[in-house]
Amino acid sequence: MAAATVSLAVIVGACGGSDSDDSDAEPAATQPESEESTEAPAEESSESETEAGERDPNGILRYAGINAPSRLDPHRSTLSQDNDKLFLALDRLVHQAPNGDPVAGLATEWEFIDDGATLRFTLREGVTFHDGEPFNAEAVKANIERAQTIEGGTQTGDLAVITEVTVVDDYTVDFSLDGPAAALPLILSDRAGAMLSPASFDNPDIDEKPVGAGMYEVVEHNVGSLIVYEAYDGYWDKDAQGLAGVEYHVMSDSGTRSNAIQSGAVDWTIVDNEAYDRLAETDGLEVGLFDDVAYPNQPLNKSREALAIVEVRQAINHAIDREALANVLASGYAVPCSQPWPEGYVAFNEEIGCDYYDYDPEKARELLAEAGYPDGFELELLDTPPSATQRTEAITAMLEAIGIDVTVRELAPGTAGDVWLAQAQGDMLSGVWGGRPDPGQMLALQYGENGFLNPGKHRSDALEAQLLLVNDQNLSAEERAAALQEATRISVEEALDVPLYFPLLANVWSDDVVGAEAYLSGKQEFRGVYIAAAS
């Protein structure tokens, strides 16, 4: 063990660089009890004055993010990392509380009716889009149908369970369903539920300046570098809308971001761990480590001969020194875990815990022998340089230590999705799972037989049966939480993935920024954030 850990440190050191808000949160209630109408929880709004000082009505937040958006048309956006840019301008039918629970957005309540065959939404009245057009049931119908049918649409799979959208009246809309849909309310808190003004559908600049009903409207967009938002005067929740505007600066380099926050060029950003330690001691700055459901992992192509055997997959999991990876690659700002959820999340299985697969190379070799591979086997590992190269080298050393002969294949930027998913090439990928708003959605995407992120379409009979239960819209919140945790147990025991650790996102902000808060989704929404007036 010591030799392997030292080897990891040498590998990582030689390369340089690096790739729940509330742990006591109650399980997310993604739907009310069957046949009972339950009003959706309202969003918690920030007060306009706090101990930090009175709100500056002219305050502009200068935020430095890492990624430029793929596009700001939510129905054709290709990256979950687009969300923090999108949600400044676009409200969704359902919003998320920081701990991941569904709360009221453009819909004030929802219920499954007709024995679960229909999902009914009651809509917020008096809302208008940025162009003055009314938000109503017709607008919802137009948006869902556009998202389902638009050429190049990326939300079609998430909305496939909806067969028809029916306008009941101006502020009531029904979604007819052709299957289990317990995940649908939280799915509609993501891009699939984002509402555009139907009058803007044909705007030639919709990818750069979407017309939504959110807190802020896009007034300037320098593609790849800056998006400028101004407060929308007609927004329905003034407590959430604490700023006069937002300047979203795109800075892919961590050093550039840390310099910008230290010099006062921006008010809030995410930095690397080394900069976090230094900036934590800087006057005028506040820091926080924010939890996230995203995690680096080593997904497996389980259609391969060796990887189809559960003992082989278990051996690989035992071969990984997660604590060493977290300490070296994330400088200790991470929680090692061998299940795909952070502790405290609704789907986290307490019995399995985070150390179900402890670091045990001897056990790994025994499992390989039991599976018929006493001398190991050959494995092709797909690398996505430069972000994952250090991890790839460390994982390679750990697997070779138990007799697995690893060949690393480097992929050109932007090709991993096609090579790994569409072509199902390679045996293992050094990847990062970005998370989804509903845990049932994530389990189906990652591990379901027809899951988009399951190359080779490996089938686990036990998990498929459990996924049917997880997605049953007639379950109570408590019953669904238990079903999710059982699905997690199956996925871990069958070693359907190789989760590594949950990074803690190092956020730094100026001390005049009030309301900086962690969202378990990892996508900041800026609700209730404001700039304190100078005293």
Side-chain angles (χ1 to χ4, degrees), residues 15-33:
C15 294
S18 69
D19 216 51
S20 111
D21 153 11
D22 183 356
S23 61
D24 298 320
E26 292 295 320
T30 56
Q31 74 287 319
E33 296 276 358

Side-chain angles (χ1 to χ4, degrees), residues 31-36 110-120 161-164 174-185 471-475:
Q31 74 287 319
E33 296 276 358
S34 175
E35 300 296 329
E36 294 181 9
W110 51 88
E111 60 177 327
F112 287 98
I113 60 175
D114 301 333
D115 293 325
T118 302
L119 177 57
R120 170 167 290 179
V161 72
I162 302 173
T163 59
E164 185 178 5
D174 284 352
F175 294 172
S176 299
L177 311 171
D178 70 352
L184 190 55
N471 289 316
D472 183 354
Q473 54 264 50
N474 296 309
L475 294 180

Side-chain angles (χ1 to χ4, degrees), residues 464-477:
E464 290 299 318
Q466 193 63 24
L467 286 177
L468 289 175
L469 181 59
V470 160
N471 289 316
D472 183 354
Q473 54 264 50
N474 296 309
L475 294 180
S476 68

Side-chain angles (χ1 to χ4, degrees), residues 232-469:
Y232 172 48
D233 287 341
Y235 191 61
W236 58 271
D237 186 357
K238 291 298 185 183
D239 284 334
Q241 184 194 46
L243 299 160
V246 177
E247 294 178 3
Y248 194 107
H249 298 264
V250 177
M251 299 180 183
S252 59
D253 179 69
S254 179
T256 302
R257 294 194 305 277
S258 61
N259 289 337
I261 188 69
Q262 189 167 18
S263 69
V266 300
D267 305 303
W268 186 358
T269 192
I270 297 174
V271 299
D272 63 25
N273 299 325
E274 182 180 355
Y276 179 87
D277 287 340
R278 172 170 48 83
L279 295 172
E281 305 299 324
T282 302
D283 291 341
L285 296 179
E286 303 287 341
V287 298
L289 295 172
F290 291 179
D291 292 337
D292 190 358
V293 293
Y295 61 92
N297 66 337
Q298 301 292 134
L300 304 169
N301 185 340
K302 296 175 286 293
S303 67
R304 302 299 198 204
E305 179 179 349
L307 298 177
I309 302 172
V310 64
E311 289 82 6
V312 170
R313 302 195 301 270
Q314 291 170 339
I316 289 173
N317 271 277
H318 276 299
I320 304 302
D321 188 343
R322 291 174 173 82
E323 184 173 356
L325 289 171
N327 286 337
V328 177
L329 298 182
S331 302
Y333 290 105
V335 179
C337 198
S338 57
Q339 67 169 287
W341 316 107
E343 190 170 0
Y345 191 54
V346 61
F348 184 86
N349 189 302
E350 294 284 353
E351 294 182 2
I352 291 290
C354 267
D355 57 355
Y356 185 82
Y357 291 109
D358 58 338
Y359 175 56
D360 191 341
E362 182 177 351
K363 175 67 172 177
R365 286 187 285 268
E366 291 174 358
L367 285 166
L368 286 179
E370 183 181 337
Y373 293 94
D375 300 319
F377 60 94
E378 295 183 355
L379 180 146
E380 184 182 43
L381 198 168
L382 303 182
D383 183 28
T384 54
S387 61
T389 298
Q390 294 177 356
R391 173 156 45 101
T392 293
E393 294 179 349
I395 295 293
T396 296
M398 292 174 185
L399 295 181
E400 290 184 340
I402 65 168
I404 296 177
D405 184 12
V406 178
T407 299
V408 175
R409 175 181 167 192
E410 293 188 353
L411 301 178
T415 63
D418 181 63
V419 173
W420 174 250
L421 299 174
Q423 301 177 37
Q425 295 184 25
D427 302 309
M428 174 187 279
L429 172 72
S430 289
V432 176
W433 167 247
R436 288 295 186 274
D438 185 87
Q441 178 190 20
M442 176 275 188
L443 288 163
L445 281 172
Q446 291 270 72
Y447 312 135
E449 180 179 16
N450 297 312
F452 176 69
L453 299 174
N454 179 7
K457 306 309 177 189
H458 170 84
R459 176 184 174 86
S460 162
D461 290 339
L463 186 66
E464 290 299 318
Q466 193 63 24
L467 286 177
L468 289 175
L469 181 59

